[in-house]
Amino acid sequence: MGVTPAGAAVLAVDAGNSKTDVALIGADGSVLGTGRSGGFQPPRVGVEAAVDVLGQAVAEAAEAAGLPRLRPGAPYAAQVSACLANADLPVEERRLADAVSARGWGAATEVRNDTFAVLRAGLPAGDAPGGVAVVCGAGINCVGMLPDGRTARFPAVGMISGDWGGGGGLAEEALWWAARAEDGRGGPTELAVALPGHFGLGSMYELIEALHLGSLARRRVHELVPVLFAVAAAGDPVASSLVERQADEVVAMASVALERLGLLAREVPVLLGGSVLAAGHPQLNDRIGELLARRAPLARISVVAAPPVLGAGLLGLDALGAPPGAHEKLRAHFG
């Protein structure tokens, strides 16, 4: 397994919409240094500016590891394993791989969608990377992988690719139903009181005005997702219908991925990640379990609690042919 003179085998990168985590990993699976920076958003800021954000976390990790300043021909690691948000299509993965490779951080570079990090992080120690993962955070995505490298995936770029839900989608739906409840176009729902109340406002009209005019930052809409789940748990039919639909969407994606890979009738892990699923809302996760049991009765569902940068690191060790002990040591660090 190749390593650089500085001793780093893998530069693992997990970059989501809100934050980036980086770990420099030794050949034995030890973590030499870590770094964190902001979100990875190439559609908004452009590829080079987005990769600059990755560079901030990489530099922090290198400093923590005591590695010398990056020089041409002397990369930090043998393998860059980057799992990135907004790498939704294979063509985007290739373009981003070219941009990351050009920074010279590693002798070799592989870029994947960040959902693959959740999949690899959630597989039991010693398992080849095979299974299905669904991530429901700001958005929603699903990937499946077999040990021979075959994958199943979705474009996952929003409504135009048939997606529904995720934290952003749930918050927008909750606002839609609450607005119509207040002005009479829809039926009643406690969301009409709970959503503006979360921000200390007295009506949906005030909340709409605040969001539209910018006195309330649009990014704060994500704060409404826990409010939606609380209202649903209290028995509100409208809120409950949104939670149930989210469960339906998770199961639909997982079932299609399992079917594409020929895994519907096999014992296989189905891993749930992202802030919405990791929160453990019983109304959501229990329904997912019930519905998936009908489609894939042998599937083993679990929620991934480990940070996705672990998955990126394990994928990097896979690429280098690292021994099982290295994988186990890396898991122990993040466990």
Side-chain angles (χ1 to χ4, degrees):
M1 181 173 64
V3 295
T4 67
V10 176
L11 173 62
V13 181
D14 171 67
N17 283 290
S18 60
K19 64 178 176 62
T20 295
D21 283 318
V22 165
L24 275 160
I25 301 162
D28 63 349
S30 58
V31 175
L32 307 176
T34 62
R36 174 168 285 189
S37 59
F40 185 72
Q41 300 183 12
R44 186 172 67 86
V45 303
V47 170
E48 291 304 317
V51 176
D52 285 343
V53 175
L54 303 185
Q56 296 167 15
V58 171
E60 184 177 306
E63 182 178 0
L67 298 186
R69 181 179 292 274
L70 189 68
R71 304 185 308 277
Y76 289 135
Q79 180 76 31
V80 175
S81 176
C83 296
L84 309 178
N86 299 296
D88 296 303
L89 306 174
V91 65
E92 291 175 315
E93 289 179 336
R94 292 192 294 271
R95 290 171 180 169
L96 290 169
D98 289 342
V100 172
S101 180
R103 300 300 175 105
W105 298 329
T109 298
E110 187 164 16
V111 167
R112 296 178 176 86
N113 179 268
D114 58 340
T115 309
F116 283 101
V118 173
L119 173 60
R120 190 66 182 94
L123 292 174
D127 279 19
V132 167
V134 182
V135 172
C136 191
I140 186 168
N141 200 356
C142 173
V143 299
M145 179 187 291
L146 292 176
D148 63 11
R150 285 180 291 155
T151 63
R153 59 191 300 177
F154 300 85
V157 293
M159 290 290 288
I160 63 170
S161 60
D163 309 324
W164 187 91
L170 286 170
E172 293 287 347
E173 287 281 345
L175 286 165
W176 190 88
W177 285 98
R180 293 172 69 89
E182 182 172 275
D183 68 22
R185 287 177 291 172
T189 171
E190 288 300 314
L191 292 170
V193 174
L195 299 190
H198 172 76
F199 298 111
L201 300 174
S203 68
M204 277 302 299
Y205 183 90
E206 291 180 25
L207 177 53
I208 293 164
E209 181 180 72
L211 290 170
H212 179 65
L213 297 180
S215 59
L216 184 65
R218 190 75 182 182
R219 65 178 182 275
R220 296 194 63 192
V221 165
H222 289 285
E223 297 177 24
L224 298 177
V225 178
V227 180
L228 165 65
F229 278 97
V231 173
D236 183 81
V238 171
S240 293
S241 72
L242 296 178
V243 174
E244 290 167 5
R245 183 176 176 186
Q246 184 65 89
D248 296 347
E249 290 292 320
V250 169
V251 172
M253 296 187 94
S255 299
V256 169
L258 289 167
E259 185 174 23
R260 288 179 182 173
L261 296 174
L263 298 175
L264 273 177
R266 293 175 56 184
E267 186 173 343
V268 64
V270 173
L271 306 163
L272 308 180
S275 58
V276 174
L277 295 175
H281 301 290
Q283 191 173 359
L284 175 65
N285 290 26
D286 289 353
R287 182 175 174 87
I288 290 171
E290 293 168 6
L291 295 178
L292 190 60
R294 300 175 194 170
R295 296 292 307 277
L298 298 181
R300 309 188 310 271
I301 298 178
S302 60
V303 175
V304 178
V309 72
L310 166 63
L314 292 171
L315 287 167
L317 292 175
D318 293 340
L320 294 175
H327 293 74
E328 293 165 5
K329 188 167 188 175
L330 183 61
R331 283 188 180 278
H333 176 89
F334 287 106

